[in-house]
Amino acid sequence: MMLVFAKAVLTGLVASIPLGPVAMIVIRKTVQHGRRAGFVTGVGAACVDTLYAAIGVLAVAVISHFIEAHHYFITVFGGFVVAAVGTVMAFRDPFKGMKEKSEIVRKTSASYTAQGAMLSLANPGALVLMLALVGFFKLGGEGKLVAVAGVFVGGLIWWWLFSYLVNKFVKNLNINTLVMINKITGVGVAIFGLIWILRVFLTTGL
């Protein structure tokens, strides 16, 4: 059960790491209103990721026989999705269009947590990523509630750490620094996905 929880926490971390609209608004809230404001904004995103994880776990339970028969190919596909997310992170401009999206959300809700949740819900790729990660780490077996709780904990850990770093080093942060952090993180995520794919091929002989 501890292994399930650990893999779920890692799932929550990987799902939260990509620097996108939620990260941008967390940075802004942290700079303007302090670390707590930034963290609770990220909590909204963590709640949505947890919802997506629950959907993924239930979906995995429903199609468990199919997954069992094709789990190697599903794992490889999940690895490609993770690698693709990392590659996109490394090469895209995370600030493009962020201002307009964050302003729309600001006018829609006064709650920081709701803002983070709404930005996550507005990103359909988050659901695709979470479903891929659930299959990737095989979280649809025993301990479904533990898996969902672990995803939430992983998201909380990331947003706590992210808001802490932004708050601590806010005076030294600039656009170039954030872009570089995003590129390095993206490369790391991509390498993680590729290593997992390679592991499948080495252990199964596919």
Side-chain angles (χ1 to χ4, degrees):
M1 201 64 70
M2 287 301 297
L3 179 59
V4 172
F5 183 76
K7 291 194 296 184
V9 170
L10 184 58
T11 297
L13 285 168
V14 174
S16 301
I17 284 175
L19 187 58
V22 177
M24 293 300 100
I25 198 171
V26 167
I27 291 172
R28 194 182 72 175
K29 294 300 182 184
T30 303
V31 171
Q32 293 179 343
H33 305 291
R35 179 186 171 192
R36 181 179 178 182
F39 173 67
V40 298
T41 302
V43 169
C47 289
V48 173
D49 283 341
T50 303
L51 172 63
Y52 288 161
I55 294 173
V57 168
L58 291 175
V60 169
V62 171
I63 58 175
S64 59
H65 294 298
F66 175 82
I67 290 177
E68 184 177 353
H70 303 89
H71 67 280
Y72 291 121
F73 297 102
I74 292 173
T75 301
V76 170
F77 175 74
F80 275 116
V81 171
V82 173
V85 169
T87 302
V88 171
M89 285 174 60
F91 290 100
R92 77 170 182 176
D93 178 4
F95 294 92
K96 186 177 181 180
M98 293 299 112
K99 182 177 180 181
E100 293 78 4
K101 292 180 181 179
S102 62
E103 288 301 317
I104 291 173
V105 172
R106 182 184 65 80
K107 296 175 181 178
T108 303
S109 174
S111 168
Y112 296 154
T113 302
Q115 290 180 35
M118 291 175 65
L119 279 174
S120 292
L121 289 170
N123 178 20
L127 175 59
V128 175
L129 175 60
M130 182 57 71
L131 293 178
L133 288 171
V134 168
F136 190 58
F137 289 108
K138 301 181 178 66
L139 297 179
E142 297 181 356
K144 295 179 180 62
L145 291 179
V146 173
V148 173
V151 170
F152 184 63
V153 171
L156 292 183
I157 291 173
W158 170 253
W159 292 117
W160 182 90
L161 179 62
F162 186 74
S163 59
Y164 170 80
L165 293 174
V166 172
N167 187 62
K168 187 174 181 62
F169 301 106
V170 63
K171 294 182 179 180
N172 299 320
L173 287 175
N174 54 52
I175 291 178
N176 291 331
T177 301
L178 289 172
V179 170
M180 182 57 64
I181 292 173
N182 190 58
K183 289 181 181 298
I184 293 173
T185 304
V187 170
V189 171
I191 290 174
F192 177 83
L194 292 175
I195 289 175
W196 192 276
I197 294 170
L198 181 62
R199 179 186 172 189
V200 172
F201 278 98
L202 291 177
T203 56
T204 63
L206 291 177

